[in-house]
Amino acid sequence: MPALLPGAATLGESRQATLGVLGGGQLGRMFVHAAQALGYRCVVLDPDAVSPAGSVAEVHIKADYLDSLGLARLARDCDAITTEFENVPALALETLAGMRVVAPAAAAVAVCQDRAVEKAHFKAAGVACAPHAVITNDIELAAADPALLPGILKTSRMGYDGKGQVRVSSTAELAAAWADLKRVPCVLEQMLPLKVELSVLVARGADGQLVNYPVQQNLHRGGILAVTEVPAPDVPAAVAQQAIAAARQVADALAYVGVLCVEFFWLDDGRLVVNEMAPRPHNSGHWTMNGADVSQFELQVRALAGLPLPEPRQHSASVMLNLLGDLWFSGDGGPTPPAWDRVLALPGTHLHLYGKAEARHGRKMGHLNVTAATPQAAHAVAAEAAALLGLPADF
Ligand code: ADP
Ligand code: MG
């Protein structure tokens, strides 16, 4: 397959090379920005009238993900199509794949959509994950090994940012939690003593070329990513190497095309286990927009277009602070924007807001990247920024 070159019109065609995105959220928006910088035209399909990605793409098709007319229009308008979230119906990707280049493939996205299938894939790829049991019926519920308790019951599908999860410490609590989750298919995972959470981003081309970023150390608050630090301050080189090798193995075993994020737990006893993966650029990779010579979004564009994938080079120590809607509610009155002018007075601060009109608690509104010559300097500035924003000093 020849690469889809950006900019100039393809021979015999009058329009610019065009990339399509399923989904109009912030990941789609940052993908569109990267694609446009390279000279591609972008089309976003999203059901909402106004969306972060829909408002920056050249064309926004306002349609449901399974609307056949909308999908046909997307396929007609675009040379290649990607998705910005994993819960897009696999059928939508399959429909498009019959007409256009689609990456990642529907089959790979389907693996990431289901925790049980995902864990089976990790096992097949030779990568250890948390001890767990799949619960889809009363027999499996009764048979769940009590050694998995205390544990976390997670819905197999549609979970994100800690949603669809219940912590359980007895078989009675487990049964009650499964009933609360409406008895949908679930995975019961043993609660593990986490020392550090980390993630690895890889990008893989259709020709099998595979590149990766350094290990990212992640701090979550209330199930939502709060801070990412690169280099990872608390991860020894041997553990980092193990995580990178595992992430590459997982991508190869899927014959994956595009950017893939693999999340890991490094445990108190020194073991490294894989947690989950996302078939797309990831919140923990947002630092690459300012701290590396090629961002995760540009790598996604390149992989989709069949362009070469350069080995990314981190040129600055980086800390990323997620900016949730809660920051707009620090005063007594209505929502007010944080003091960006004071934050941006700090050296090496890069603000990215996603164009969401309304701030809400827990809503991802943007992120702040801090870059510096040394990890210590990046950390110190990030701590100052966090203090100005009223964020905890727990990193
Ligand atoms: P989500 O899809 O919502 O990101 P995760 O499975 O990544 O779901 O869980 C969210 C967070 O909950 C993790 O980042 C981690 O902090 C915590 N967590 C999840 N599973 C476990 C586990 N088995 N043991 C300890 N903590 C866990
Ligand atoms: Mg997660």
Side-chain angles (χ1 to χ4, degrees), residues 346-364:
L346 300 171
T349 50
H350 314 270
L351 180 63
H352 300 267
L353 292 177
Y354 308 145
K356 297 182 184 179
E358 193 196 342
R360 278 188 247 124
H361 289 285
R363 190 178 204 200
K364 288 178 181 169

Side-chain angles (χ1 to χ4, degrees), residues 30-368:
M30 292 182 274
F31 173 89
V32 167
H33 283 153
Q36 289 171 335
L38 273 166
Y40 292 102
R41 182 175 159 266
C42 292
V43 180
V44 163
L45 184 143
D46 186 274
D48 289 340
V50 180
S51 67
S55 61
V56 296
E58 277 84 353
V59 178
H60 171 203
I61 300 172
K62 186 181 163 305
D64 193 78
Y65 301 115
L66 285 174
D67 177 307
S68 52
L69 280 179
L71 292 175
R73 205 181 138 201
L74 185 69
R76 196 184 58 227
D77 266 19
C78 299
D79 300 289
I81 298 161
T82 189
T83 176
E84 64 121 32
F85 73 132
E86 59 268 43
N87 290 326
V88 61
L91 189 62
L93 289 174
E94 275 161 31
T95 306
L96 291 167
M99 307 183 259
R100 286 295 177 194
V101 173
V102 172
V109 175
V111 172
C112 304
Q113 282 177 343
D114 188 305
R115 288 187 197 277
V117 178
E118 188 175 62
K119 283 178 166 35
H121 173 77
F122 291 145
K123 208 173 153 207
V127 177
C129 58
H132 65 278
V134 176
I135 295 178
T136 61
N137 58 41
D138 285 312
I139 296 167
E140 287 169 346
L141 178 72
D145 186 351
L148 295 174
L149 299 171
I152 308 185
L153 187 66
K154 304 179 179 179
T155 59
S156 285
R157 303 179 71 89
M158 302 301 259
Y160 69 97
D161 288 346
K163 294 185 177 64
Q165 299 192 4
V166 187
R167 299 190 171 211
V168 292
S169 48
S170 65
T171 47
E173 274 179 35
L174 171 62
W178 194 48
D180 279 350
L181 292 173
K182 307 276 187 297
R183 298 166 59 88
V184 295
C186 281
V187 169
L188 172 66
E189 257 179 57
Q190 189 177 44
M191 180 76 81
L192 299 170
L194 315 185
K195 204 197 302 267
V196 174
E197 293 195 53
L198 47 109
S199 57
V200 176
L201 272 170
V202 303
R204 191 175 178 281
D207 59 356
Q209 193 196 359
L210 186 58
V211 298
N212 63 271
Y213 289 98
V215 163
Q216 306 162 162
Q217 180 164 328
N218 303 322
L219 173 74
H220 293 79
R221 297 189 194 113
I224 306 180
L225 182 67
V227 182
T228 296
E229 290 181 83
V230 189
D234 303 316
V235 180
V239 175
Q241 271 165 21
Q242 200 188 332
I244 287 168
R248 294 175 67 102
Q249 246 163 279
V250 165
D252 269 337
L254 274 174
Y256 190 83
V257 179
V259 169
L260 177 77
C261 182
V262 186
E263 294 180 45
F264 298 87
F265 299 144
W266 183 39
L267 307 182
D268 281 345
D269 66 8
R271 272 183 304 151
L272 181 76
V273 299
V274 63
N275 173 29
E276 59 172 354
M277 59 181 168
R280 50 172 172 76
H282 191 259
N283 199 162
S284 61
H286 288 355
W287 68 273
T288 62
M289 298 171 81
N290 301 105
D293 61 353
V294 57
S295 78
Q296 60 168 347
F297 298 103
E298 180 172 341
L299 285 187
Q300 179 78 332
V301 172
R302 285 173 176 248
L304 180 61
L307 290 171
L309 301 176
E311 193 68 55
R313 183 178 65 85
Q314 178 175 14
H315 55 65
S316 297
S318 300
V319 180
M320 189 256 355
L321 303 179
N322 246 0
L323 305 169
L324 301 184
D326 307 59
L327 294 181
W328 275 250
F329 296 95
S330 55
D332 304 332
T336 39
W340 301 130
D341 48 351
R342 296 180 63 197
V343 171
L344 291 172
L346 300 171
T349 50
H350 314 270
L351 180 63
H352 300 267
L353 292 177
Y354 308 145
K356 297 182 184 179
E358 193 196 342
R360 278 188 247 124
H361 289 285
R363 190 178 204 200
K364 288 178 181 169
M365 301 298 289
H367 65 273
L368 183 78

